[in-house]
Amino acid sequence: MGYNIEINDEKFNYIANVEIEYKSLPGLTREIIEEISEVKQEPKWMREIRLESLKVFQSWHDPRFGVDISDLDLNKIIPYIKPKAKKTTTWEEVPEEIKEAFDRLGIPEAERKFFAGVGAQFDSEIVYQHIKQELESLGIIFMDMESAVKEYPDLVKEYFMKLVPAYDHKFAALHGAIWSGGTFLYVPKGVKVPLPLQAYFLMSNPGMSQLEHTIIVADEGAELTFIEGCSAPRYNVINLHTGMVEIYVKKHAKVKYMTIQNWSKNTYNLNTKRAIVEEDGVMSWISGSLGSMKTMLYPMTILKGKGAKAESLGITYAGPGQHMDTGSKVVHLAPYTSSTIDARSISVGGGWAFYRGLLRIGENAEKSKAHVQCTALMLDNDSKSDTVPIIEVYNSDSDIGHEARIGRIKEEQIFYLMSRGLSESEAKSLIVKGFIEPIVSSLPFEYAVELNRLIEMEIESSIG
């Protein structure tokens, strides 16, 4: 029986030769922050947020959990690089080199077929942002964060770093000091966005950081799907990604947030994502974490209103040299709230997958229901997998379930498939595909195909 795997990672490893308009010095000082703020022509209130965040950063210790970050020297990281390209809503006006980089990834070709709108960030700045005209006429705001700061200051002030304040942890403070780019999305009451909106982030320079900030507000009864993609070419020096996502799900609203992260293996990915859900609102996280050298990411949902609901479905892949410390957090604060977490990890070639989760059922969250399932699959004897699911229940009238399974791939499964004509890598790829099927089937078709291809590439490079 024939079974061909087509391996082509050229599009993810393309280095665009783009002219730079402004590049800050490496490191983190008050002078660098003021210079970034000046280049962006920011209002005084945003500059004050940055400088206050710097103070918090300088007083915070490193995280006492997660991945080892002792090799991450922030004094060598360039916090801000502005490409020579003006922000535009017309793809034809984007510089050719930048267009080629995004075209190789299928953007904005995908926009024309599948999306209601697309934002594309190159290094530290959004270079392209567009939404279909008929949706804009419904009152939807979909723009880069810098423009929102200037055009909707009161709206941005109401939500910016209110869910994740600078004092939350050291890298939240770092983000507050040197954030750049990202998306502001507001969907008015009762508006249901018929197609997904997408943001794509590309880092192209060695030794840089990318810290985009995304705010999504789904007003009462609104519904939307947002897809985030990340990529970077490989370099021999460390890059840093410290993005932040804050999502506000109002009464009866629904938000689905999908991520496929494929940073290169020289990248520290230290992201923070958080959502707060009001009465009968629904928040869904779907994520595929494949790239980066080391990742710390634990999307958190706060169920604030009665009947609010959270769903989290994630796949983590740790290949050679990768340490992926990921998980989910859900906090139930109101009665009749419910949540499900399905976290799956694959480790191969000496990779280390670590699930770190928190489920907290508050004193006032009576009649709540929650189920946590974490499953780990190791493809060889060199790889590691750990799970630390913490469950705290502060009332006696809730229904909680938990399952955890860690196991190595079975030799008899490999033998059976190889006896049917598959190579070892093809057999492992097929087993992995079955393992991640629930996540893949939740994605739009084109993203499901992409996730499958990425997994195949990783398995092929890990075991030959």
Side-chain angles (χ1 to χ4, degrees):
M1 181 170 62
Y3 187 86
N4 297 319
I5 299 175
E6 294 181 4
I7 305 299
N8 178 14
D9 67 348
E10 183 184 353
K11 65 179 183 178
F12 299 110
N13 210 24
Y14 174 71
I15 298 175
N17 183 24
V18 176
E19 199 171 342
I20 293 171
E21 183 173 314
Y22 173 81
K23 182 178 182 179
S24 72
L25 293 171
L28 186 62
T29 64
R30 181 185 179 96
E31 290 72 26
I32 289 174
I33 289 170
E34 287 184 333
E35 204 167 276
I36 292 172
S37 188
E38 185 66 31
V39 169
K40 290 177 173 291
Q41 299 181 323
E42 286 180 340
K44 184 182 174 187
W45 61 269
M46 180 52 77
R47 182 178 299 201
E48 288 173 351
I49 288 176
R50 291 183 183 277
L51 294 175
E52 184 59 32
S53 297
L54 175 64
K55 286 182 189 173
V56 176
F57 172 79
Q58 290 168 336
S59 67
W60 256 99
H61 54 74
D62 286 345
R64 297 190 174 112
F65 57 87
V67 300
D68 178 7
I69 56 171
S70 57
D71 288 337
L72 176 61
D73 185 354
L74 291 174
N75 292 317
K76 294 181 180 176
I77 298 290
I78 302 163
Y80 179 66
I81 296 178
K82 181 180 182 181
K84 193 167 186 178
K86 66 177 183 178
K87 291 169 187 169
T88 178
T89 58
T90 308
W91 190 241
E92 286 68 30
E93 291 180 2
V94 176
E96 287 300 323
E97 279 290 340
I98 295 179
K99 271 199 293 191
E100 185 173 355
F102 283 109
D103 280 342
R104 284 169 181 258
L105 295 163
I107 301 166
E109 180 187 352
E111 174 196 12
R112 291 192 285 270
K113 295 179 181 175
F114 318 113
F115 299 127
V118 166
Q121 179 160 340
F122 190 84
D123 289 343
S124 301
E125 291 285 350
I126 292 282
V127 294
Y128 172 75
Q129 191 107 18
H130 182 259
I131 185 171
K132 290 183 184 298
Q133 198 171 6
E134 61 267 29
L135 296 177
E136 203 170 29
S137 65
L138 295 175
I140 297 172
I141 302 171
F142 179 64
M143 60 171 54
D144 65 278
M145 186 57 69
E146 283 88 352
S147 297
V149 166
K150 294 169 186 169
E151 294 182 31
Y152 298 95
D154 293 338
L155 208 50
V156 174
K157 282 180 191 175
E158 185 177 348
Y159 297 110
F160 189 88
M161 293 193 76
K162 291 297 192 296
L163 259 184
V164 189
Y167 54 75
D168 202 82
H169 57 81
K170 181 173 182 174
F171 289 97
L174 175 72
H175 178 95
I178 55 174
W179 74 271
S180 185
T183 300
F184 184 85
L185 171 60
Y186 172 79
V187 181
K189 287 182 183 179
V191 173
K192 295 175 173 57
V193 186
L195 294 169
L197 293 142
Q198 191 207 37
Y200 207 95
F201 304 100
L202 189 58
M203 275 194 286
S204 71
N205 280 283
M208 68 167 293
S209 63
Q210 191 178 64
L211 298 96
E212 81 283 353
H213 193 100
T214 299
I215 292 176
I216 295 174
V217 182
D219 215 328
E220 287 187 22
E223 294 183 15
L224 69 100
T225 297
F226 193 89
I227 301 178
E228 173 192 73
C230 323
S231 184
R234 294 171 190 154
Y235 288 107
N236 294 322
V237 296
I238 288 172
N239 278 21
L240 173 66
H241 178 257
T242 311
M244 185 179 291
V245 176
E246 299 180 288
I247 301 176
Y248 299 83
V249 185
K250 306 289 187 180
K251 189 175 178 181
H252 298 296
K254 293 181 181 177
V255 174
K256 182 181 286 187
Y257 195 98
M258 302 184 184
T259 304
I260 293 190
Q261 178 267 108
N262 187 37
W263 295 117
S264 55
K265 303 297 191 299
N266 61 309
T267 301
Y268 279 82
N269 181 40
L270 311 175
N271 241 353
T272 305
K273 297 179 178 177
R274 196 165 293 172
I276 189 163
V277 189
E278 297 184 5
E279 185 178 337
D280 290 326
V282 180
M283 178 68 216
S284 302
W285 302 96
I286 298 172
S287 62
S289 296
L290 288 89
S292 83
M293 176 172 58
K294 297 182 181 182
T295 282
M296 285 199 290
L297 176 61
Y298 324 100
M300 179 178 184
T301 309
I302 302 166
L303 300 175
K304 178 186 173 188
K306 181 182 175 183
K309 185 177 179 183
E311 301 167 339
S312 178
L313 192 59
I315 179 72
T316 298
Y317 186 98
Q322 287 183 278
H323 180 187
M324 310 291 277
D325 198 303
T326 61
S328 292
K329 298 180 183 176
V330 183
V331 177
H332 293 241
L333 297 178
Y336 297 98
T337 49
S338 62
S339 65
T340 57
I341 296 172
D342 184 351
R344 303 178 182 221
S345 71
I346 301 159
S347 51
V348 60
W352 185 7
F354 200 114
Y355 173 80
R356 195 182 300 275
L358 171 66
L359 171 65
R360 180 176 295 155
I361 311 292
E363 189 178 346
N364 298 322
E366 301 94 351
K367 310 289 184 188
S368 291
K369 294 182 178 179
H371 184 260
V372 179
Q373 177 179 331
C374 37
T375 314
L377 178 66
M378 290 173 283
L379 298 191
D380 53 46
N381 293 327
D382 300 323
S383 305
K384 293 195 294 183
S385 187
D386 296 287
T387 63
V388 181
I390 298 171
I391 298 177
E392 300 173 351
V393 183
Y394 295 98
N395 73 66
S396 57
D397 194 16
S398 292
D399 185 1
I400 313 300
H402 173 246
E403 296 175 57
R405 284 177 290 172
I406 296 180
R408 298 191 188 280
I409 198 166
K410 294 179 180 176
E411 290 298 328
E412 55 266 34
Q413 290 177 314
I414 301 293
F415 177 79
Y416 174 80
L417 291 171
M418 291 179 71
S419 72
R420 295 297 185 271
L422 301 186
S423 67
E424 182 184 354
S425 66
E426 289 167 346
K428 289 184 176 179
S429 176
L430 198 61
I431 292 169
V432 167
K433 281 182 177 177
F435 182 70
I436 66 171
E437 195 278 332
I439 286 86
V440 172
S441 62
S442 300
L443 295 169
F445 176 74
E446 293 70 22
Y447 270 72
V449 170
E450 201 62 46
L451 183 61
N452 270 326
R453 282 184 180 163
L454 288 170
I455 292 282
E456 287 166 356
M457 283 163 48
E458 294 291 347
I459 291 176
E460 180 75 6
S461 64
S462 300
I463 62 178

